[in-house]
Amino acid sequence: MNKSTATSRSGKELVGREAPGFVAPVIGAQLATLEDYRGLPLILNFWASWCPPCREETPGMERVWRKYRDDGLVILGVNVQDGEDEARRYINEFGVTFPNVLDLDGRVTIDYGVTGLPVTFFVARDGTISGRWVGSISETRLDSWARSLNENKDIRNINHGENPKGYRSLN
């Protein structure tokens, strides 16, 4: 019997597979596609302005971005269920400088199997998802996995999982 929750299984089946492609508007810019980041280590973070665990992890996400961005690591936020105005207010409130896209029709969220927020995916340079974390990710864990991803190390065998107190259902 599977005792894990639907939220904790967000995107679990994607680990080890090619990241689903997408096209989405960048907040304050043009469109972005997953292909724009091919060859770069990429962290995809699904979030919403109304999500308390998202608010908890965002400052650490920004610090990790600033630490590794000059090395080529990309953090790309994927905003879920907000309009552009709400997303902009959130980004301004936290001083976020990494790019963020709007998932206006929910297609990216569906393709990644996201059923609760936040969820973070780690995409290797070859475009495969090497790991994921469900719930608010600690800055320490994020930094460690970002460093490994940036160094092109395989993180699939790292103990992936969830922060059961650090997510909210989309329902």
Side-chain angles (χ1 to χ4, degrees):
M1 180 194 312
N2 188 346
K3 293 184 178 184
S4 66
T5 66
T7 299
S8 70
R9 292 188 303 269
S10 286
K12 186 174 185 175
E13 69 282 353
L14 293 177
V15 176
R17 296 185 180 166
E18 187 168 339
F22 61 82
V23 176
V26 177
I27 297 171
Q30 301 297 320
L31 295 176
T33 70
L34 183 65
E35 280 302 310
D36 294 339
Y37 304 101
R38 179 68 74 161
L40 299 171
L42 174 66
I43 297 173
L44 284 175
N45 177 249
F46 288 77
W47 63 275
S49 64
W50 45 263
C51 165
C54 299
R55 300 178 76 76
E56 179 181 297
E57 74 180 3
T58 296
M61 193 81 53
E62 177 65 21
R63 285 188 291 273
V64 168
W65 157 249
R66 289 177 187 225
K67 182 175 180 179
Y68 294 105
R69 68 181 172 192
D70 290 340
D71 297 331
L73 179 82
V74 176
I75 294 180
L76 180 65
V78 180
N79 177 261
V80 176
Q81 295 184 343
D82 282 327
E84 187 166 358
D85 290 342
E86 292 90 356
R88 271 187 201 273
R89 277 194 293 277
Y90 182 92
I91 287 168
N92 290 336
E93 176 183 344
F94 287 99
V96 170
T97 61
F98 56 86
N100 282 267
V101 297
L102 295 167
D103 186 16
L104 296 172
D105 63 2
R107 176 57 43 206
V108 181
T109 303
I110 291 167
D111 288 349
Y112 279 79
V114 174
T115 57
L117 295 174
V119 177
T120 304
F121 291 90
F122 299 84
V123 182
R125 294 172 194 271
D126 67 0
T128 60
I129 296 177
S130 57
R132 62 108 173 97
W133 185 263
V134 177
S136 179
I137 189 167
S138 72
E139 185 174 348
T140 302
R141 182 180 307 272
L142 179 64
D143 185 272
S144 173
W145 289 6
R147 184 175 1 90
S148 293
L149 190 66
N150 201 44
E151 293 171 354
N152 212 27
K153 292 181 180 172
D154 187 356
I155 64 171
R156 281 181 287 191
N157 295 324
I158 296 175
N159 181 23
H160 297 279
E162 66 181 275
N163 176 353
K165 295 181 181 177
Y167 62 80
R168 296 288 186 271
S169 172
L170 293 177
N171 298 334

